[in-house]
Amino acid sequence: MQGQEKFDYIVVGAGPAGSAFALQAGDKLRILLLDGSFRGQKPCGGLLAPQAARALAEMGLTLPREVLADPQIFAVRTMDLQTGAERSYPRNYVNMDRAAFDGWLRRLAGAKATVLQARATAVRPLEQGGWAVDYVTAAGERETAQGAAVVGADGAGGIVRRSCFAERRILHYTAIQQWFTLRDAPLYACVFHRPTSESCSWLFCKDRKLAFGGAFAPSGARAGFEEQKRILQEQYGFSMAQPLRTEACVVYRPRSKRDLCLGAGGVYLLGEAAGLISPSSFEGISYALRSGCRLAEAALAGGEVGRNYRRAAGALCREVLSRRWKRPFMYWPKLRGLVLKSGVQALKGSK
Ligand SMILES: Cc1cc2nc3c(=O)[nH]c(=O)nc-3n(C[C@H](O)[C@H](O)[C@H](O)COP(=O)(O)OP(=O)(O)OC[C@H]3O[C@@H](n4cnc5c(N)ncnc54)[C@H](O)[C@@H]3O)c2cc1C
């Protein structure tokens, strides 16, 4: 059925980026949104940063109560497992249920676009111009949709970037996250342990559950995760004996301009698929929302969409790359040690 219809845009992925694009452009353009989320929810901290809240405000949206998680936490505890150093810093994140957030945005997008529960399996140029996307529906049927353009909003490791921009490889980690029944005081913490990860890990609470997750080099990721968990249990007393569930996914870490790929020639990338994620904190929802909005503006403006989009998203790219300056202070053990010791910007009384 979808195969006979020709869309202006076929969007692969109905996370925040794909839904934001459909929501902003769906009134004027014929959009097919392929939603592969029936295959499982991606692991995420579900913390909405102030830039993401601002993006929602710019989209004219207010966050419904069913999207919120309990409790709201206004401090991040920074823990260096190697040295035992700790500090707490103020943070203004909204604690959300990520699956509920994505579902809410997707429902809004569904009022303006055709949303199909399906997983894209191939993206191909058509001889007569335009693009074909092969997909498998949630019911297992194989179909093809045709569109004038394709949008890769399919996150890290997505099929659109891999198929159309294979040469734009980007450093990635394996993120592993486990959930437990919360038996300790609620907290949000950023965890460092150089022997097992050059990146960071995190602890957060949602609705009487504790999640522990981290980003690790793909080889030895599970061993690194288990070692950090052991330290948190044995040295810090966290209760993590029986995981309720374990999740894993790929997460990108952009290091240079080359890692950011907005697309060209009728195939455009949004959000994490484009490499738009903070290389220091892995905050990515705000970039996903804003890139979706920028592409919608570019598509509606007339003229060359690719050029419009690159121009409109230039500030986002610069913002991502500017986050690199924070990395040494977070990830170089000596510098981090000095920052923690200094107490600069720390909450009063935290140590
Ligand atoms: C462990 C972890 C914790 C994080 N915590 C936070 C946080 O607290 N706050 C924050 O701001 N950011 C966080 N991030 C980053 C954030 O999750 C991403 O940057 C953000 O989700 C990117 O949004 P997106 O729409 O680009 O892609 P995604 O959210 O990854 O959405 C992609 C969508 O595409 C779908 N999809 C994929 N392949 C296909 C296919 N072939 N066909 C159809 N659909 C497909 C997926 O099912 C998914 O629904 C975290 C990342 C990780 C890994």
Side-chain angles (χ1 to χ4, degrees):
M1 182 69 184
Q2 306 290 350
Q4 287 129 32
E5 214 171 336
K6 188 146 182 180
F7 292 90
D8 294 316
Y9 285 82
I10 301 173
V11 182
V12 180
S19 292
F21 172 73
L23 199 49
Q24 297 300 100
D27 276 336
K28 303 233 168 77
L29 299 169
R30 284 158 47 82
I31 295 174
L32 173 65
L33 187 55
L34 296 180
D35 167 22
S37 65
F38 63 92
R39 299 173 70 233
Q41 184 64 31
K42 73 172 274 174
C44 180
L47 297 167
L48 197 75
Q51 309 91 293
R54 186 188 168 120
L56 290 177
E58 283 170 356
M59 293 166 72
L61 298 178
T62 51
L63 210 57
R65 197 204 323 221
E66 70 262 21
V67 163
L68 298 180
D70 185 60
Q72 297 302 320
I73 299 171
F74 302 111
V76 57
R77 181 172 156 192
T78 302
M79 304 164 66
D80 187 325
L81 301 190
Q82 221 179 338
T83 62
E86 276 195 31
R87 284 281 183 190
S88 291
Y89 297 90
R91 282 292 177 278
N92 289 313
Y93 293 140
V94 177
N95 193 11
M96 307 186 303
D97 176 330
R98 175 64 200 267
F101 175 74
D102 282 12
W104 163 70
L105 266 185
R106 210 174 283 140
R107 277 193 300 283
L108 295 178
K112 304 196 174 198
T114 304
V115 181
L116 197 63
Q117 288 211 333
R119 177 174 62 90
T121 53
V123 180
R124 302 177 277 119
L126 292 167
E127 261 176 37
Q128 68 272 27
W131 293 83
V133 176
D134 301 326
Y135 60 85
V136 183
T137 67
E141 287 152 3
R142 292 186 173 277
E143 303 234 21
T144 298
Q146 293 187 14
V150 172
V151 177
D154 44 354
I159 192 172
V160 180
R161 183 167 177 148
R162 274 189 288 122
S163 309
C164 303
F165 306 99
E167 74 288 358
R168 303 293 288 271
R169 293 170 65 85
I170 173 169
L171 177 70
H172 63 274
Y173 296 114
T174 299
I176 303 177
Q177 191 165 279
Q178 273 186 344
W179 291 83
F180 309 87
T181 301
L182 178 66
R183 301 191 198 285
D184 313 289
L187 87 163
Y188 166 43
C190 194
V191 176
F192 298 94
H193 186 245
R194 192 65 187 81
T196 49
S197 171
E198 62 174 24
S199 184
C200 67
S201 298
W202 47 84
L203 285 155
F204 58 84
C205 301
K206 282 184 205 296
D207 303 326
R208 303 303 306 160
K209 295 204 178 61
L210 170 73
F212 168 58
F216 301 88
S219 69
R222 189 62 193 247
F225 174 84
E226 292 299 336
E227 173 60 5
Q228 290 191 9
K229 198 170 84 175
R230 184 191 66 73
I231 297 172
L232 286 166
Q233 290 180 101
E234 291 179 5
Q235 294 179 23
Y236 291 81
F238 283 100
S239 311
M240 297 173 167
Q242 287 163 332
L244 301 170
R245 69 174 195 271
T246 304
E247 309 161 327
C249 71
V250 170
V251 62
Y252 284 161
R253 186 189 127 198
R255 288 182 295 178
S256 71
K257 206 170 161 189
R258 211 192 125 64
D259 291 338
L260 306 180
C261 175
L262 300 174
V267 181
Y268 309 107
L269 299 177
L270 299 179
E272 201 172 337
L276 294 169
I277 180 168
S278 165
S280 53
S281 66
F282 296 121
E283 187 272 313
I285 297 173
S286 76
Y287 298 104
L289 294 171
R290 288 182 287 170
S291 59
C293 294
R294 295 299 87 80
L295 181 62
E297 288 156 17
L300 295 174
E304 218 261 279
V305 177
R307 192 183 316 127
N308 292 346
Y309 178 43
R310 279 190 294 281
R311 194 174 300 144
L316 278 184
C317 295
R318 287 191 292 279
E319 191 180 314
V320 165
L321 296 176
S322 74
R323 296 281 186 261
R324 290 175 301 179
W325 72 264
K326 275 183 94 176
R327 275 197 67 87
F329 297 96
M330 290 175 73
Y331 294 105
W332 293 4
K334 280 198 177 137
L335 264 184
R336 181 173 60 238
L338 286 174
V339 172
L340 289 175
K341 201 169 169 196
S342 75
V344 171
Q345 293 188 343
L347 286 176
K348 234 176 161 181
S350 78
K351 53 177 183 171

